[in-house]
Coordinates of all heavy atoms in Angstrom, one line a residue:
M1 N 0.8 -1.2 0.0 CA 0.0 0.0 0.0 C 0.9 1.2 0.0 O 1.8 1.4 0.8 CB -0.9 0.0 1.2 CG -1.7 1.2 1.3 SD -2.9 1.3 2.7 CE -1.9 1.3 4.1
V2 N 0.6 2.1 -0.9 CA 1.3 3.4 -1.0 C 0.6 4.5 -0.3 O -0.6 4.6 -0.5 CB 1.6 3.8 -2.5 CG1 2.2 5.1 -2.6 CG2 2.3 2.7 -3.2
T3 N 1.3 5.2 0.5 CA 0.6 6.4 1.2 C 1.1 7.7 0.6 O 2.2 7.8 0.1 CB 1.0 6.4 2.7 OG1 2.4 6.4 2.9 CG2 0.5 5.2 3.4
I4 N 0.1 8.6 0.6 CA 0.3 9.9 0.0 C 0.0 11.0 1.0 O -1.0 10.9 1.7 CB -0.6 10.1 -1.3 CG1 -0.3 9.0 -2.3 CG2 -0.4 11.5 -1.9 CD1 -1.2 8.9 -3.4
D5 N 0.8 12.0 1.1 CA 0.6 13.1 2.0 C -0.7 13.8 1.6 O -0.8 14.2 0.4 CB 1.8 14.1 1.9 CG 1.7 15.2 3.0 OD1 0.7 16.0 2.9 OD2 2.5 15.2 3.9
D6 N -1.6 14.0 2.5 CA -2.9 14.6 2.2 C -2.8 16.1 1.8 O -3.6 16.6 1.0 CB -3.8 14.5 3.4 CG -4.3 13.1 3.7 OD1 -4.3 12.3 2.8 OD2 -4.7 12.8 4.8
V7 N -1.8 16.8 2.3 CA -1.7 18.2 2.0 C -0.9 18.4 0.7 O -1.4 19.2 -0.1 CB -1.0 18.9 3.2 CG1 -0.7 20.4 2.9 CG2 -1.8 18.7 4.5
T8 N 0.3 17.8 0.6 CA 1.1 18.1 -0.5 C 0.9 17.2 -1.7 O 1.4 17.4 -2.8 CB 2.6 18.0 -0.2 OG1 2.9 16.7 0.2 CG2 2.9 19.0 1.0
E9 N 0.2 16.1 -1.4 CA -0.1 15.0 -2.4 C 1.2 14.4 -2.9 O 1.3 13.8 -4.0 CB -0.9 15.5 -3.6 CG -2.3 15.9 -3.2 CD -3.2 16.3 -4.3 OE1 -2.8 16.2 -5.5 OE2 -4.4 16.7 -4.0
E10 N 2.3 14.4 -2.1 CA 3.6 13.8 -2.4 C 3.5 12.4 -1.9 O 2.9 12.0 -0.9 CB 4.7 14.6 -1.7 CG 4.8 16.0 -2.1 CD 5.7 16.2 -3.3 OE1 6.6 15.3 -3.5 OE2 5.5 17.1 -4.1
L11 N 4.2 11.5 -2.6 CA 4.4 10.1 -2.2 C 5.2 10.1 -0.9 O 6.2 10.7 -0.8 CB 5.0 9.2 -3.2 CG 4.3 9.1 -4.6 CD1 5.2 8.4 -5.6 CD2 3.0 8.4 -4.4
M12 N 4.7 9.3 0.1 CA 5.4 9.2 1.4 C 6.1 7.8 1.6 O 7.3 7.8 2.0 CB 4.5 9.5 2.5 CG 4.0 10.9 2.5 SD 2.8 11.3 3.8 CE 3.8 11.0 5.3
A13 N 5.4 6.7 1.4 CA 5.9 5.4 1.7 C 5.1 4.3 1.0 O 4.0 4.6 0.5 CB 5.8 5.2 3.2
C14 N 5.7 3.1 1.1 CA 5.0 1.9 0.5 C 5.3 0.8 1.5 O 6.3 0.8 2.2 CB 5.5 1.6 -0.8 SG 4.7 0.1 -1.6
T15 N 4.3 -0.1 1.6 CA 4.5 -1.3 2.5 C 5.3 -2.4 1.9 O 5.4 -3.5 2.6 CB 3.1 -1.7 3.1 OG1 2.3 -2.1 1.9 CG2 2.4 -0.7 3.9
C16 N 5.7 -2.3 0.7 CA 6.5 -3.5 0.1 C 7.9 -3.6 0.7 O 8.4 -2.6 1.2 CB 6.6 -3.3 -1.4 SG 7.8 -2.1 -2.0
P17 N 8.4 -4.8 0.7 CA 9.8 -5.0 1.3 C 10.9 -4.1 0.7 O 11.8 -3.7 1.4 CB 10.0 -6.5 1.0 CG 8.7 -7.1 0.8 CD 7.8 -6.0 0.2
H18 N 10.8 -3.9 -0.6 CA 11.8 -3.1 -1.3 C 11.9 -1.7 -0.6 O 13.0 -1.2 -0.3 CB 11.5 -2.9 -2.8 CG 12.6 -2.1 -3.5 ND1 13.8 -2.6 -3.8 CD2 12.6 -0.9 -4.0 CE1 14.5 -1.7 -4.4 NE2 13.8 -0.6 -4.6
H19 N 10.7 -1.0 -0.4 CA 10.7 0.3 0.2 C 11.1 0.2 1.7 O 11.8 1.0 2.2 CB 9.4 1.0 0.0 CG 9.4 2.4 0.6 ND1 10.1 3.4 0.1 CD2 8.8 2.8 1.7 CE1 9.9 4.5 0.8 NE2 9.1 4.1 1.8
I20 N 10.5 -0.8 2.4 CA 10.7 -0.9 3.8 C 12.2 -1.2 4.2 O 12.7 -0.5 5.0 CB 9.8 -2.0 4.4 CG1 8.3 -1.6 4.4 CG2 10.2 -2.3 5.9 CD1 7.4 -2.6 4.8
H21 N 12.8 -2.1 3.5 CA 14.1 -2.5 3.9 C 15.2 -1.7 3.3 O 16.3 -1.6 3.8 CB 14.4 -4.0 3.5 CG 13.5 -4.9 4.2 ND1 13.5 -5.1 5.6 CD2 12.5 -5.7 3.8 CE1 12.6 -6.0 6.0 NE2 11.9 -6.4 4.9
R22 N 14.9 -1.0 2.1 CA 16.0 -0.2 1.5 C 15.6 1.3 1.5 O 16.4 2.1 1.1 CB 16.1 -0.7 0.0 CG 16.7 -2.1 -0.1 CD 16.9 -2.4 -1.5 NE 17.4 -3.8 -1.7 CZ 16.7 -4.9 -1.8 NH1 15.4 -4.8 -1.8 NH2 17.3 -6.0 -1.9
N23 N 14.4 1.6 2.0 CA 14.0 3.0 2.0 C 14.2 3.6 0.6 O 14.6 4.7 0.4 CB 14.6 3.8 3.0 CG 13.9 5.1 3.3 OD1 12.7 5.2 3.1 ND2 14.6 6.1 3.7
A24 N 13.8 2.8 -0.4 CA 14.0 3.2 -1.8 C 12.7 3.4 -2.5 O 11.7 2.8 -2.1 CB 14.8 2.1 -2.5
F25 N 12.7 4.2 -3.5 CA 11.5 4.4 -4.4 C 11.2 3.1 -5.1 O 12.1 2.5 -5.8 CB 11.9 5.5 -5.4 CG 10.7 6.1 -6.1 CD1 9.9 7.0 -5.5 CD2 10.4 5.7 -7.4 CE1 8.8 7.5 -6.2 CE2 9.3 6.2 -8.1 CZ 8.5 7.1 -7.5
C26 N 10.0 2.6 -5.0 CA 9.7 1.3 -5.5 C 8.8 1.4 -6.7 O 8.2 2.4 -7.0 CB 9.0 0.4 -4.4 SG 7.4 1.0 -3.9
K27 N 8.5 0.2 -7.4 CA 7.7 0.2 -8.6 C 6.2 0.6 -8.2 O 5.5 1.1 -9.1 CB 7.7 -1.2 -9.2 CG 7.2 -2.3 -8.4 CD 7.4 -3.6 -9.1 CE 6.9 -4.8 -8.2 NZ 7.2 -6.1 -8.8
H28 N 5.8 0.3 -7.0 CA 4.4 0.7 -6.6 C 4.3 2.2 -6.5 O 3.3 2.7 -6.9 CB 4.1 0.0 -5.3 CG 4.4 -1.5 -5.3 ND1 5.5 -2.0 -4.6 CD2 3.7 -2.5 -5.9 CE1 5.5 -3.3 -4.8 NE2 4.5 -3.6 -5.6
M29 N 5.3 2.8 -6.0 CA 5.3 4.3 -5.9 C 5.3 4.9 -7.3 O 4.7 5.9 -7.5 CB 6.4 4.7 -5.0 CG 6.3 4.3 -3.5 SD 7.8 4.6 -2.5 CE 7.5 6.3 -2.2
A30 N 6.1 4.3 -8.1 CA 6.2 4.8 -9.5 C 4.9 4.7 -10.2 O 4.4 5.6 -10.9 CB 7.3 4.0 -10.3
A31 N 4.2 3.6 -10.0 CA 2.9 3.4 -10.6 C 1.9 4.4 -10.1 O 1.1 5.0 -10.9 CB 2.3 2.0 -10.3
V32 N 1.8 4.7 -8.8 CA 0.9 5.6 -8.3 C 1.3 7.0 -8.8 O 0.4 7.8 -9.1 CB 0.9 5.6 -6.7 CG1 0.2 6.8 -6.1 CG2 0.3 4.3 -6.2
E33 N 2.6 7.3 -8.8 CA 3.0 8.6 -9.3 C 2.6 8.9 -10.8 O 2.3 10.0 -11.2 CB 4.5 8.8 -9.2 CG 5.0 10.1 -9.5 CD 6.5 10.3 -9.2 OE1 7.3 9.6 -9.9 OE2 6.8 11.0 -8.2
N34 N 2.6 7.8 -11.6 CA 2.3 7.9 -13.0 C 0.8 7.7 -13.3 O 0.4 7.8 -14.5 CB 3.1 7.0 -13.8 CG 4.6 7.4 -13.8 OD1 4.9 8.6 -14.1 ND2 5.5 6.5 -13.5
A35 N 0.0 7.3 -12.3 CA -1.4 7.1 -12.6 C -2.1 8.4 -12.9 O -1.7 9.5 -12.4 CB -2.1 6.5 -11.4
I36 N -3.1 8.4 -13.8 CA -3.8 9.6 -14.1 C -5.0 9.7 -13.2 O -5.3 8.8 -12.4 CB -4.3 9.6 -15.6 CG1 -5.2 8.4 -15.9 CG2 -3.1 9.7 -16.5 CD1 -5.7 8.5 -17.3
D37 N -5.7 10.8 -13.2 CA -6.8 11.2 -12.2 C -7.9 10.1 -12.1 O -8.5 10.0 -11.1 CB -7.4 12.5 -12.6 CG -6.4 13.7 -12.3 OD1 -5.5 13.5 -11.5 OD2 -6.6 14.7 -13.0
D38 N -8.2 9.4 -13.2 CA -9.3 8.4 -13.1 C -8.8 7.1 -12.5 O -9.6 6.1 -12.4 CB -9.9 8.2 -14.5 CG -9.1 7.5 -15.5 OD1 -7.9 7.2 -15.1 OD2 -9.5 7.2 -16.6
G39 N -7.5 7.0 -12.0 CA -7.0 5.8 -11.4 C -6.5 4.8 -12.3 O -6.1 3.7 -11.8
T40 N -6.4 5.1 -13.6 CA -5.8 4.1 -14.5 C -4.3 4.4 -14.7 O -3.8 5.5 -14.4 CB -6.5 4.1 -15.9 OG1 -6.4 5.4 -16.4 CG2 -8.0 3.8 -15.7
L41 N -3.6 3.4 -15.3 CA -2.2 3.6 -15.5 C -1.9 3.1 -16.9 O -2.3 2.1 -17.3 CB -1.4 2.7 -14.5 CG 0.1 2.7 -14.7 CD1 0.7 4.1 -14.4 CD2 0.7 1.7 -13.8
D42 N -1.2 4.0 -17.7 CA -0.8 3.6 -19.0 C 0.6 3.0 -18.9 O 1.6 3.7 -18.8 CB -0.8 4.8 -19.9 CG -0.6 4.5 -21.4 OD1 -0.5 3.3 -21.7 OD2 -0.5 5.5 -22.2
A43 N 0.7 1.7 -18.9 CA 1.9 1.0 -18.7 C 3.0 1.2 -19.8 O 4.2 1.2 -19.5 CB 1.7 -0.5 -18.6
F44 N 2.5 1.4 -21.0 CA 3.5 1.6 -22.1 C 3.0 2.9 -22.8 O 2.5 2.9 -23.9 CB 3.5 0.5 -23.1 CG 4.0 -0.8 -22.5 CD1 3.1 -1.8 -22.1 CD2 5.3 -1.0 -22.2 CE1 3.5 -2.9 -21.5 CE2 5.8 -2.2 -21.6 CZ 4.9 -3.1 -21.2
P45 N 3.3 4.1 -22.2 CA 2.8 5.3 -22.8 C 3.5 5.6 -24.1 O 4.7 5.3 -24.3 CB 3.1 6.4 -21.8 CG 4.2 5.8 -20.9 CD 4.0 4.3 -21.0
S46 N 2.8 6.1 -25.1 CA 3.3 6.4 -26.4 C 4.0 7.8 -26.3 O 3.5 8.7 -25.6 CB 2.2 6.4 -27.4 OG 2.8 6.9 -28.7
E47 N 5.1 7.9 -26.9 CA 5.8 9.2 -26.9 C 5.1 10.2 -27.7 O 5.1 11.4 -27.4 CB 7.2 9.0 -27.4 CG 8.1 8.2 -26.4 CD 9.5 8.0 -26.9 OE1 9.9 8.6 -27.9 OE2 10.2 7.2 -26.3
D48 N 4.4 9.8 -28.7 CA 3.5 10.7 -29.5 C 2.3 9.9 -29.9 O 2.3 8.7 -30.1 CB 4.3 11.3 -30.7 CG 5.0 10.2 -31.6 OD1 4.4 9.1 -31.7 OD2 6.0 10.5 -32.1
D49 N 1.2 10.6 -30.1 CA -0.1 10.0 -30.4 C -0.4 9.9 -31.9 O -1.4 9.4 -32.3 CB -1.2 10.8 -29.7 CG -1.2 10.6 -28.2 OD1 -0.6 9.6 -27.7 OD2 -1.7 11.5 -27.5
D50 N 0.5 10.4 -32.7 CA 0.2 10.3 -34.2 C 0.7 8.9 -34.7 O 1.4 8.2 -34.1 CB 0.9 11.4 -34.9 CG 2.4 11.5 -34.8 OD1 3.0 10.6 -34.1 OD2 3.0 12.3 -35.4
E51 N 0.3 8.6 -35.9 CA 0.6 7.4 -36.6 C 1.9 7.4 -37.4 O 2.1 6.6 -38.3 CB -0.6 6.9 -37.4 CG -1.8 6.7 -36.6 CD -1.7 5.4 -35.8 OE1 -1.2 4.4 -36.2 OE2 -2.2 5.5 -34.6
T52 N 2.8 8.4 -37.1 CA 4.0 8.5 -37.9 C 5.0 7.3 -37.6 O 5.0 6.7 -36.6 CB 4.7 9.8 -37.6 OG1 5.1 9.9 -36.3 CG2 3.9 11.0 -38.0
E53 N 5.8 7.0 -38.6 CA 6.7 5.9 -38.5 C 7.8 6.3 -37.5 O 8.4 7.4 -37.6 CB 7.3 5.7 -39.9 CG 8.3 4.5 -40.0 CD 8.8 4.3 -41.4 OE1 8.0 3.9 -42.2 OE2 9.9 4.7 -41.6
P54 N 8.2 5.4 -36.6 CA 9.3 5.7 -35.6 C 10.6 5.8 -36.4 O 10.8 5.2 -37.5 CB 9.3 4.5 -34.7 CG 8.0 3.8 -34.9 CD 7.5 4.1 -36.3
D55 N 11.5 6.6 -35.8 CA 12.8 6.8 -36.5 C 13.6 5.5 -36.7 O 14.3 5.4 -37.7 CB 13.7 7.8 -35.6 CG 13.1 9.2 -35.6 OD1 12.4 9.6 -36.5 OD2 13.4 9.9 -34.6
N56 N 13.4 4.6 -35.8 CA 14.2 3.3 -36.0 C 13.3 2.2 -36.5 O 13.6 1.0 -36.3 CB 14.8 2.9 -34.6 CG 13.7 2.9 -33.5 OD1 12.6 3.3 -33.7 ND2 14.1 2.4 -32.3
C57 N 12.3 2.5 -37.4 CA 11.5 1.5 -38.0 C 12.3 0.6 -39.0 O 13.0 1.1 -39.7 CB 10.3 2.1 -38.7 SG 9.3 1.0 -39.7
D58 N 12.1 -0.7 -38.9 CA 12.7 -1.6 -39.8 C 11.7 -2.6 -40.4 O 12.1 -3.7 -40.7 CB 13.8 -2.4 -39.0 CG 14.7 -3.2 -39.9 OD1 14.9 -2.7 -41.1 OD2 15.2 -4.2 -39.5
C59 N 10.5 -2.2 -40.5 CA 9.4 -3.0 -41.0 C 9.7 -3.5 -42.5 O 9.4 -4.7 -42.8 CB 8.0 -2.4 -41.0 SG 7.4 -2.2 -39.3
E60 N 10.3 -2.7 -43.3 CA 10.5 -3.0 -44.7 C 11.4 -4.2 -44.8 O 11.3 -5.1 -45.7 CB 11.2 -1.8 -45.4 CG 10.2 -0.8 -45.8 CD 10.8 0.3 -46.6 OE1 11.7 0.0 -47.4 OE2 10.3 1.5 -46.5
G61 N 12.4 -4.4 -43.9 CA 13.3 -5.5 -44.0 C 12.8 -6.8 -43.3 O 13.6 -7.8 -43.2
L62 N 11.6 -6.8 -42.9 CA 11.1 -8.0 -42.2 C 10.0 -8.8 -42.9 O 9.3 -9.5 -42.3 CB 10.6 -7.5 -40.8 CG 11.6 -6.9 -39.9 CD1 10.9 -6.4 -38.6 CD2 12.7 -7.9 -39.5
N63 N 9.9 -8.6 -44.2 CA 9.0 -9.3 -45.1 C 7.5 -9.3 -44.5 O 6.9 -10.3 -44.4 CB 9.4 -10.8 -45.3 CG 10.8 -10.8 -46.0 OD1 11.0 -10.0 -46.9 ND2 11.6 -11.8 -45.6
G64 N 7.0 -8.1 -44.2 CA 5.6 -8.0 -43.8 C 5.4 -8.1 -42.3 O 4.3 -7.8 -41.8
F65 N 6.4 -8.5 -41.5 CA 6.3 -8.6 -40.1 C 6.7 -7.3 -39.5 O 7.6 -6.6 -39.9 CB 7.3 -9.7 -39.6 CG 7.0 -10.2 -38.2 CD1 6.0 -11.1 -37.9 CD2 7.7 -9.7 -37.1 CE1 5.7 -11.5 -36.7 CE2 7.4 -10.1 -35.8 CZ 6.4 -11.0 -35.6
P66 N 5.9 -6.8 -38.5 CA 6.2 -5.5 -38.0 C 7.4 -5.5 -37.0 O 7.7 -6.4 -36.4 CB 4.9 -5.1 -37.1 CG 4.4 -6.5 -36.8 CD 4.7 -7.4 -37.9
C67 N 8.2 -4.4 -37.1 CA 9.3 -4.2 -36.2 C 8.8 -3.8 -34.8 O 7.7 -3.4 -34.6 CB 10.3 -3.2 -36.7 SG 9.7 -1.5 -36.7
W68 N 9.7 -4.1 -33.8 CA 9.3 -3.8 -32.4 C 9.0 -2.3 -32.1 O 8.0 -2.0 -31.5 CB 10.4 -4.3 -31.4 CG 10.1 -4.0 -30.0 CD1 10.7 -3.2 -29.2 CD2 8.9 -4.5 -29.3 NE1 10.1 -3.2 -27.9 CE2 9.0 -3.9 -28.0 CE3 7.8 -5.3 -29.6 CZ2 8.0 -4.2 -27.0 CZ3 6.9 -5.6 -28.7 CH2 7.0 -5.0 -27.4
P69 N 9.8 -1.3 -32.7 CA 9.4 0.1 -32.4 C 8.0 0.4 -32.9 O 7.3 1.1 -32.2 CB 10.4 0.8 -33.2 CG 11.6 -0.1 -33.3 CD 11.0 -1.4 -33.4
C70 N 7.5 -0.2 -34.0 CA 6.2 0.1 -34.5 C 5.1 -0.6 -33.6 O 4.1 0.0 -33.3 CB 6.0 -0.4 -35.9 SG 6.8 0.7 -37.1
V71 N 5.4 -1.8 -33.1 CA 4.5 -2.5 -32.2 C 4.4 -1.7 -30.9 O 3.3 -1.5 -30.3 CB 4.9 -4.0 -32.0 CG1 4.1 -4.6 -30.9 CG2 4.9 -4.7 -33.3
R72 N 5.6 -1.3 -30.3 CA 5.6 -0.7 -29.0 C 4.9 0.7 -29.0 O 4.2 1.0 -28.1 CB 7.1 -0.4 -28.6 CG 7.2 0.1 -27.2 CD 8.7 0.3 -26.8 NE 9.4 1.2 -27.8 CZ 9.4 2.5 -27.8 NH1 8.6 3.1 -27.0 NH2 10.1 3.2 -28.6
T73 N 4.9 1.4 -30.1 CA 4.3 2.7 -30.2 C 2.8 2.6 -30.6 O 2.1 3.5 -30.6 CB 5.0 3.6 -31.2 OG1 5.0 3.0 -32.5 CG2 6.4 3.9 -30.7
G74 N 2.4 1.3 -30.9 CA 1.0 1.1 -31.3 C 0.7 1.4 -32.8 O -0.5 1.4 -33.2
R75 N 1.7 1.7 -33.5 CA 1.5 1.9 -35.0 C 1.0 0.7 -35.7 O 0.3 0.8 -36.6 CB 2.8 2.5 -35.6 CG 2.7 2.8 -37.0 CD 4.0 3.5 -37.5 NE 3.9 3.7 -38.9 CZ 4.4 3.0 -39.8 NH1 5.1 1.9 -39.5 NH2 4.3 3.3 -41.1
T76 N 1.5 -0.5 -35.3 CA 1.2 -1.7 -35.9 C 1.0 -2.8 -34.8 O 1.6 -2.7 -33.8 CB 2.4 -2.2 -36.8 OG1 2.9 -1.1 -37.5 CG2 2.0 -3.3 -37.8
E77 N 0.2 -3.8 -35.1 CA 0.0 -4.9 -34.2 C 0.7 -6.1 -34.6 O 0.9 -6.3 -35.8 CB -1.5 -5.2 -34.0 CG -2.2 -4.1 -33.3 CD -3.7 -4.5 -33.0 OE1 -4.1 -5.7 -33.3 OE2 -4.4 -3.6 -32.5
L78 N 1.1 -7.0 -33.7 CA 1.7 -8.3 -34.0 C 0.7 -9.2 -34.7 O -0.5 -9.2 -34.2 CB 2.3 -9.0 -32.8 CG 3.6 -8.4 -32.3 CD1 3.9 -9.0 -30.9 CD2 4.7 -8.6 -33.3
P79 N 1.0 -10.0 -35.7 CA 0.0 -10.9 -36.3 C -0.2 -12.1 -35.3 O 0.7 -12.4 -34.5 CB 0.7 -11.4 -37.5 CG 2.2 -11.2 -37.3 CD 2.3 -10.0 -36.4
N80 N -1.3 -12.7 -35.4 CA -1.7 -13.8 -34.6 C -0.9 -15.1 -34.9 O -0.5 -15.4 -35.9 CB -3.1 -14.2 -34.6 CG -4.0 -13.1 -34.0 OD1 -3.5 -12.4 -33.1 ND2 -5.2 -12.9 -34.4

């Protein structure tokens, strides 16, 4: 469980072993910090919302199979 300061809305602590034993910023705190107001979390946020080809696209050399940068950004989906 992640606790947040009621006044400043800053992250304060987490009950996971990583934070308790190391007093370190944990993945749970990162998730809460990156959650949007409706309580959801975009685990793989796109750097841009347009459908432009990523700079490191290599789809042409893969005989119709999409490259990872295009899959990661949501430009193309992996075939079944």
Side-chain angles (χ1 to χ4, degrees):
M1 177 174 67
V2 176
T3 57
I4 302 172
D5 186 296
D6 291 337
V7 176
T8 64
E9 296 185 2
E10 298 273 330
L11 297 173
M12 294 178 62
C14 182
T15 57
C16 78
H18 182 74
H19 180 73
I20 291 172
H21 298 295
R22 294 184 179 90
N23 196 26
F25 193 79
C26 67
K27 62 184 177 185
H28 310 105
M29 295 170 81
V32 169
E33 185 174 71
N34 290 311
I36 59 176
D37 292 335
D38 69 359
T40 61
L41 176 66
D42 189 2
F44 298 101
S46 175
E47 292 177 8
D48 51 34
D49 291 337
D50 61 357
E51 296 290 320
T52 60
E53 182 178 290
D55 292 336
N56 53 351
C57 173
D58 191 30
C59 289
E60 285 186 31
L62 298 175
N63 297 324
F65 196 80
C67 68
W68 179 243
C70 286
V71 172
R72 186 179 56 79
T73 59
R75 180 174 179 262
T76 319
E77 291 186 6
L78 286 173
N80 290 332

